[in-house]
Amino acid sequence: MNLNGTKITWLGHATFLLENNGKKILIDPWLVGNPSCPAAYHDIAPDLVVITHGHGDHIGDVFDVAARNDAPIVGIYDLTTWLQMKGIDGDRLHGGNKGGTIRFDDLGLSVTLTDARHSSSFVDDGQIIYLGEACGVVVSFDDGPTIYHAGDTCLFGDMEWIGKLWSPDLAILPIGDRFTMDPLQGAYATQLLGVDAVMGCHWGTFGLLSGTPAQLTAELSKLGVKAEVIAIEPGQSVG
């Protein structure tokens, strides 16, 4: 697919690096503890951090990443409030909620928080801390594509409206099963979204995450959905 000069690198699990016009956007900063993330990306210093929810396999390195520069951090309000309570400067935290859009003129993009059906919490000093609801994100580049990262979620019918409202060029969907959609649900999600290209995530990191892009391709074929499945390994890029 044509990403208009935008580069997308999968760092394993649900962590992605988007590069557009020299700017780096990191989605779900789980790096050092992520067994799929190449070591070359462990010390990345992005220009923007976007978080879908508070589980450790999505925010495990957020504090280390935040310490490298003063890049803004986007997430659900409950989560960003907790990050401030844990010491991150509130001026760089951009909390919102589902349906809201946060604009970054200097980066040439907007981030919209969408629905997702999942839990969100973090184990802190032996206590489970509730961090609001999980969300998906739509990253819309002024000079580039619109990318929908569904976060961790099951299938839900309003994905159709996400497709109609934001017309993403690419959908990044969890397909590993057990904690998220499996490839069958991912195929139906692709159909609802009406996208021309889809990339699977949240698969292969652990044995429990058994879904694969090949299975997604097979399920799309059964449905008669003609969407390109972009299958890359952690550390590889498209665009």
Side-chain angles (χ1 to χ4, degrees), residues 85 106 114 125 141 144 149-151 154 173 175 177 193 202 229 237:
M85 293 170 63
D106 58 329
T114 67
D125 194 23
F141 292 101
H149 187 310
C154 63
L173 303 176
I175 60 169
D177 202 3
L193 290 161
H202 211 280
V229 177
S237 306

Side-chain angles (χ1 to χ4, degrees), residues 183-195:
L184 174 60
Q185 295 172 69
Y188 275 99
T190 303
Q191 183 179 56
L192 287 172
L193 290 161
V195 292

